[in-house]
Structures are given as C-alpha cells and as structure tokens.
Amino acid sequence: MSSRILVTGATGFVGAHVVDELLRRGHSVRAAIRSMAKGEQLRQARQHAGERLEFAVVGDLTAPNGFDEAVKGVDGIIHCAAPVVTSFENPEPDMIIPAIEGSKNIISAAAKEPKVKRIIMTSSFATVDATRGWDPALRYTAKDWNPITYDEAKVSHGIEAYRGAKKYSELYAWDYIRDKKPHFDLVTLIPPMVFGPFVHSVSKAADLNSSVKDIYDVASGAEYPLQRTLAWVDVRDLAYVHVEALVRPEASNRRFLVVSPEQFSYQLMADVVRKEFDWAKDVVKKGDEGAALPPCYTLDGETTAEVFGFKYRSFKNCIVDAVTQLHEFAERK
C-alpha cells in the first residue's frame, strides 16, 4: 500500500537514492529541501514522478518547529539530513548542539502529526565505536555505542566531536522513545563508508560528497585517500533498507548496522578500476597491486540482510557502476 513519506536530506547522496527507491515502489514523497532551487533540480531528473513528488522548504534544520508544516499528513519520515559542519573551532555550538537540535525538531514535529507511524533515522558507524583500533578480534553489533562522553566531545577539535555529535543526536531520539512512548516508533540505520553511483544533482567534481570523491580521486590517478576503516556499503543497498524499514514490523525500535560482509581498501578499489577499464591502466596508480587487506575488526551487517531480506552488492559491482558514471561525468566537464 502506498504512503506519503517525508524525506529530509532529499537532495543529498543518500537521500536522493531514498527518494528514487520510494518512487519506484509507488509511494508519494514530500522532500524537505533548503530552497526551491534544490527542489527543481530534484524534480527535473524525476519528471515521471508527477504529483507523487512534492516539496517542503525547511531552511534551517535546527530552527524550533521548523518541520511542523513539512510533516503534516505524512505517514512516515525518513530522516537523512544532518546539519552541515563548517567548523571544529567551537565543537559544541557548531556541531554537537545543531545535530541534537535536528533530531529534536524532527521528533517534536512527528509528535504533532498523528498519522506518522515510524521514523527512519540515518545514523553513522561513528556512533558505534572505531576508537579501539583495528583489532580483528573485535566484532561490532548494533548494540555497541562509542564510549565518548559529552564533556569529551564538546572540547574536541577533531573527529571525536563528530563522533559525539552523531552519538548524542541519536541517543536523544532513543531517550524520547523510551520516556515519551509516542504514537510512532523508531528505526536507526548505521552505515560505515557509503560508495556507489550518485543520483543527486552534481555540477562539478568539487561538489561530490566525500565518499564518491574518494572513488573519483582514485580513478583520476590521485594518491589513495587515507584509509579510516575497511567497512563500506553500496548506497543503493542503504536506500533499499531505508524504505524496507518503513514496513517491516520486526524492525520496530531497533538499530541496524548496514554494512557489506566484504571489506575494502583503496588499493583494492584501484585494482578493480585498473582491471575493469582499459583507459585506467595508464591513469590509476598501481600501488601495491593485489595486496591483501590488513587485519581489521568486523561489523554485523548480516542481521540487517536477514531482517530486510536482501543480499549486499559486491564491491566490484559497486565500484564498476560508480566509475562508469564518474568517467562519463568527467568527460562532460
């Protein structure tokens, strides 16, 4: 049965894929956007959607009551958006508080709309941990939380501030569900690195989101990016899980790691590109071709695949599809 779903962050890398997955399944989408210009870009690429794609301008994710109009009449919410971070100079006001306020505002708006049955929230592996090194004996599940305290996060000028912002914005949502017992439930999805082709509007390489820019850089012959984790997921699988989570009763009030059972390295990415594309042999850095992946912790993405009934795409498939698109994109510029 089709529903009207509010999608925040609809013009971003993940959000645009979520919009397409919803439309493909026959749902109506209300896209929360920062400006109508962004909405028009989204609509131009989705003329087939017709009246099933509408827009709600929400200029500031952190403004009190900012989502109240956007949620009216929707059956569910997929919350992909997060405040844009511009500075680590003042981590609490610049990052942590805006992230918490974004969660607070979408939840308070949902509480005023009796039709809302479920909120799907995009979280991050940063909420789980990755602070204990790459010990291969570690296996993370959706029950794990990173150990950083609020006080530690608010004085950090590095990645710890980001980890704190993601942790405490998600915890706000779970605390609300526990304490208020609202008429809707919650599902949070926890991806690591997200790769794959893009379907949102991008005019130049500098506008690519960071994970797709990593693929672009490797395929363009740049130095390999810094490897922060071996965990990844295809953006199309992540979008599928966002939409499937709306309708699965067994997903209610649960967290899920959405992560491929395969691990990756940028060396492996380069190897795939050099093997699959003739033009790449003279462009992509050879590096230590065929090098084994380093020992690393693992993540439980298998539970998610079982609950939502799908099989993760392979790393090769993901990178070939992304590079095919990116090569054509580069040649048009």
Side-chain angles (χ1 to χ4, degrees):
M1 186 173 68
S2 64
S3 302
R4 176 178 284 110
I5 308 300
L6 175 68
V7 180
T8 74
T11 58
F13 178 46
V14 175
H17 275 280
V18 168
V19 168
D20 285 352
E21 183 69 13
L22 285 164
L23 292 172
R24 186 184 68 79
R25 298 203 199 185
H27 297 289
S28 295
V29 175
R30 181 177 296 159
I33 54 176
R34 294 180 185 272
S35 69
M36 278 310 299
K38 289 281 190 181
E40 285 307 311
Q41 291 176 340
L42 199 68
R43 186 186 297 281
Q44 285 300 317
R46 294 159 181 84
Q47 295 286 340
H48 64 283
E51 295 182 354
R52 290 194 298 121
L53 178 59
E54 58 180 316
F55 302 102
V57 176
V58 181
D60 183 358
L61 300 179
T62 66
N65 307 314
F67 287 103
D68 286 5
E69 288 297 316
V71 303
K72 287 184 177 179
V74 303
D75 302 290
I77 299 169
I78 298 180
H79 185 44
C80 300
V84 177
V85 178
T86 58
S87 173
F88 280 94
E89 290 301 311
N90 300 292
E92 187 175 30
D94 291 345
M95 174 180 285
I96 300 171
I97 291 176
I100 294 171
E101 289 299 313
S103 292
K104 184 182 296 185
N105 290 340
I106 198 71
I107 289 171
S108 66
K112 300 170 188 174
E113 174 48 68
K115 288 191 69 178
V116 173
K117 300 177 184 68
R118 180 170 289 178
I119 297 176
I120 314 300
M121 183 177 291
T122 313
S123 186
S124 165
F125 180 51
T127 66
V128 171
D129 203 352
T131 62
R132 292 185 283 171
W134 286 25
D135 182 353
L138 291 172
R139 181 163 177 80
Y140 292 110
T141 75
K143 295 180 180 179
D144 292 313
W145 288 89
N146 82 48
I148 194 167
T149 67
Y150 189 94
D151 287 342
E152 289 169 339
K154 74 179 185 180
V155 297
S156 168
H157 295 280
I159 193 64
E160 291 80 8
Y162 174 78
R163 288 178 177 141
K166 300 303 290 187
K167 174 182 178 177
Y168 288 100
S169 60
E170 187 187 342
L171 276 176
Y172 174 87
W174 286 120
D175 289 347
Y176 186 97
I177 294 292
R178 181 195 64 209
D179 297 338
K180 303 293 187 181
K181 297 178 175 56
H183 60 271
F184 55 86
D185 61 8
L186 176 68
V187 180
T188 61
L189 304 178
I190 307 166
M193 295 293 293
V194 183
F195 293 130
F198 62 89
V199 294
H200 62 302
S201 178
V202 177
S203 59
K204 58 184 183 297
D207 295 335
L208 292 167
N209 62 293
S210 60
S211 58
V212 178
K213 183 66 161 52
D214 284 351
I215 304 173
Y216 183 88
D217 288 345
V218 169
S220 300
E223 296 294 334
Y224 300 166
L226 177 65
Q227 187 95 33
R228 299 186 182 278
T229 180
L230 303 190
W232 72 283
V233 69
D234 189 295
V235 66
R236 295 164 293 187
D237 293 338
L238 182 58
Y240 170 86
V241 175
H242 274 82
V243 178
E244 193 67 16
L246 286 167
V247 299
R248 296 271 181 163
E250 61 269 39
S252 178
N253 290 332
R254 291 176 64 181
R255 308 175 83 210
F256 293 93
L257 281 163
V258 191
V259 54
S260 170
E262 284 187 88
Q263 294 185 323
F264 91 100
S265 68
Y266 291 106
Q267 178 65 64
L268 178 60
M269 184 182 292
D271 291 350
V272 169
V273 179
R274 285 174 55 84
K275 181 178 179 180
E276 298 299 322
F277 299 93
D278 289 340
W279 54 263
K281 293 178 177 62
D282 297 323
V283 176
V284 177
K285 292 187 180 301
K286 186 175 182 180
D288 187 10
E289 189 175 33
L293 295 174
C296 187
Y297 53 78
T298 58
L299 285 71
D300 173 28
E302 291 82 356
T303 295
T304 304
E306 291 170 5
V307 170
F308 295 109
F310 76 104
K311 182 179 179 180
Y312 291 99
R313 285 174 170 83
S314 70
F315 186 68
K316 176 183 174 181
N317 173 271
C318 176
I319 298 306
V320 167
D321 288 353
V323 171
T324 298
Q325 179 193 40
L326 289 167
H327 188 62
E328 294 171 355
F329 171 79
E331 289 192 325
R332 293 197 304 269
K333 302 304 167 186

